[in-house]
Amino acid sequence: ESDGTNAIGVAPGAKWIAAKAFTETGGSNAALLSCAEWMLKPDGKAENAPDIVNNSWGGSANTSDWFKDMVDSWRAANILPVFAAGNKKTDEAEPWPGSIQNPASLPGSFAVGATDINNKRGSFSKLGPSLFDPTGESIKPEISAPGVNIRSSVYGGVYEGGWNGTSMAAPHVAGVAALMKSANKSLTIEEMED
């Protein structure tokens, strides 16, 4: 609302596009790859590509590199690949070292963990190191953002509080990156990550 009563998000004036990879029954690798490729040239035009792609999806903690070429392609096009680090599932033990979900765990993905109001890790937020780097020399997730008890938009034009997840945290980071690009369009993704 113009009076600020339904204010959500970090960069409310940002332009955005979306690609739907999931149906009510789930998604497939082929659909995710198709959407990822589309982001490189929306409507066939590279000049329409976004500066940041927020990915609030993920698989399990594994070393499958099926999405690596897409992350590399986004980076080559100076598109920041923001990924939610993943959440503890109800049937899982507490997140363990190396539980970060793929593709957030891929080299080149900018993985986001969740924090609470006290800047503590959300108990559900998955942990690094990446299984792609078991030495832990590279930090995963690279950053954390608010992801506990978040007010968010919900399908049907509703605004609700109380949402938890790294999928609530990743858009905070994507929004900050959008603000950075609006202030300095020439920033590289490496400069934004730094």
Side-chain angles (χ1 to χ4, degrees):
E1 306 295 327
S2 60
D3 65 2
T5 56
N6 268 331
I8 62 167
V10 174
K15 294 179 182 177
W16 66 277
I17 58 175
K20 185 178 178 183
F22 295 96
T23 67
E24 291 176 8
T25 58
S28 68
N29 290 0
L32 288 163
L33 289 169
S34 177
C35 288
E37 288 174 356
W38 183 83
M39 285 293 172
L40 289 167
K41 291 183 179 183
D43 298 325
K45 298 177 182 175
E47 62 270 19
N48 291 343
D51 294 315
I52 301 110
V53 176
N54 178 73
N55 297 276
S56 289
W57 61 273
S60 59
N62 64 47
T63 55
S64 173
D65 64 356
W66 71 276
F67 206 75
K68 184 171 181 344
D69 288 345
M70 286 313 316
V71 169
D72 292 345
S73 294
W74 285 344
R75 290 186 76 88
N78 205 37
I79 299 170
L80 179 65
V82 175
F83 279 86
N87 310 316
K88 171 189 172 298
K89 296 174 180 54
T90 47
D91 60 342
E92 285 182 333
E94 291 301 308
W96 59 93
S99 61
I100 187 170
Q101 291 179 185
N102 189 350
S105 60
L106 283 169
S109 292
F110 197 58
V112 183
T115 58
D116 65 17
I117 196 168
N118 299 308
N119 289 325
K120 303 289 184 195
R121 182 183 64 84
S123 61
F124 53 82
S125 189
K126 297 279 181 115
L127 303 168
S130 166
L131 296 179
F132 290 96
D133 178 21
T135 65
E137 289 180 22
S138 63
I139 304 278
K140 287 284 183 182
E142 284 86 351
I143 196 166
S144 293
V148 176
N149 198 25
I150 302 300
R151 179 174 163 80
S152 187
S153 58
V154 181
Y155 182 75
V158 177
Y159 294 88
E160 291 182 354
W163 288 80
N164 297 325
T166 57
S167 291
M168 296 290 106
H172 280 91
V173 171
V176 169
L179 291 173
M180 292 169 68
K181 285 296 272 195
S182 72
N184 183 353
K185 187 69 175 163
S186 68
L187 285 174
T188 66
I189 55 178
E190 291 81 11
E191 288 170 329
M192 287 191 292
E193 289 170 328
D194 285 344

